[in-house]
Amino acid sequence: MLTFIVRVGTPAQTFRVLPSTTGQETWIPVPEGCPFSDTANCADLREVYPFQGVQSGVQYNVSWTWKNIGLYDLVLERNLNYTGNGLFGLNKVGTMVDGGVLLEQQVIAGIATKNFFMSVLGLGPKPSNFSDFEHPQPSFLTGLKNENKIPSLSFACTAGAPYNCLDESLDMLNLVTSLTA
């Protein structure tokens, strides 16, 4: 399974994400997604890394860069009957634990539903709209393009290729920038 590490918020909270070519937002599990009735390793299975000694999910109340938008439907795979709600907001999103790229004001959804078990890094170029079409929020990929981190909105993934690097930072770089020149 091809996954990457992202950091969210300030101070940074770390998660392992699946790339999504369907969505354009970053979805991260919240602590409510692993209640006490779940297995003890629920957060570990959902690829949530410990933050301040606790492994539970994104903690909005700790991030001073979080800006709440509200509770909205998760519409990524509605055609497959995967549904749920997410607590949406804007926050910093960066690739890798340290270094990599860091974008401000990225759309984040905190998810409790297990229909979407792992975190997702949306790579779609479409903006997110929460009130009207006059105030779209750019996607992560569009943010990279707008800040001249990548030359276009195209991407490819070389996972499984014989020259695939073991260095995760280079894998993310390949994912986001291959075939863009």
Side-chain angles (χ1 to χ4, degrees):
M1 176 173 18
L2 178 66
T3 61
F4 302 99
I5 291 178
V6 297
R7 62 188 188 276
V8 174
T10 305
Q13 300 173 52
T14 309
F15 305 89
R16 189 162 283 281
V17 296
L18 289 167
S20 169
T21 57
T22 304
Q24 66 271 9
E25 299 132 358
T26 302
W27 294 2
I28 305 291
V30 292
E32 294 82 4
C34 289
F36 290 115
S37 59
D38 275 357
T39 62
N41 65 340
C42 173
D44 189 47
L45 292 172
R46 293 187 85 170
E47 301 285 354
V48 173
Y49 288 95
F51 175 71
Q52 296 182 348
V54 178
Q55 185 177 16
S56 63
V58 67
Q59 299 174 37
Y60 301 112
N61 61 333
V62 179
S63 176
W64 59 78
T65 51
W66 169 256
K67 293 182 180 142
N68 189 54
I69 294 174
L71 194 63
Y72 289 89
D73 285 337
L74 301 169
V75 294
L76 185 66
E77 296 292 351
R78 192 175 276 167
N79 59 325
L80 298 175
N81 285 331
Y82 293 145
T83 60
N85 293 321
L87 180 59
F88 283 82
L90 301 175
N91 213 336
K92 292 181 179 182
V93 175
T95 60
M96 304 183 303
V97 176
D98 293 311
V101 296
L102 181 65
L103 297 178
E104 310 270 340
Q105 301 292 302
Q106 292 299 296
V107 176
I108 306 291
I111 58 171
T113 179
K114 295 214 175 53
N115 282 337
F116 304 100
F117 196 71
M118 288 186 61
S119 300
V120 172
L121 176 64
L123 296 175
K126 187 174 89 171
S128 297
N129 291 293
F130 296 96
S131 57
D132 58 44
F133 291 109
E134 300 298 319
H135 300 95
Q137 299 296 322
S139 69
F140 184 75
L141 198 65
T142 300
L144 291 173
K145 171 80 169 85
N146 291 347
E147 292 193 16
N148 296 315
K149 306 281 187 196
I150 58 174
S152 79
L153 295 177
S154 304
F155 64 90
C157 184
T158 60
Y163 50 85
N164 191 16
C165 305
L166 295 178
D167 181 349
E168 185 168 291
S169 65
L170 294 177
D171 282 347
M172 182 57 125
L173 182 65
N174 284 339
L175 173 69
V176 175
T177 63
S178 292
L179 302 178
T180 58

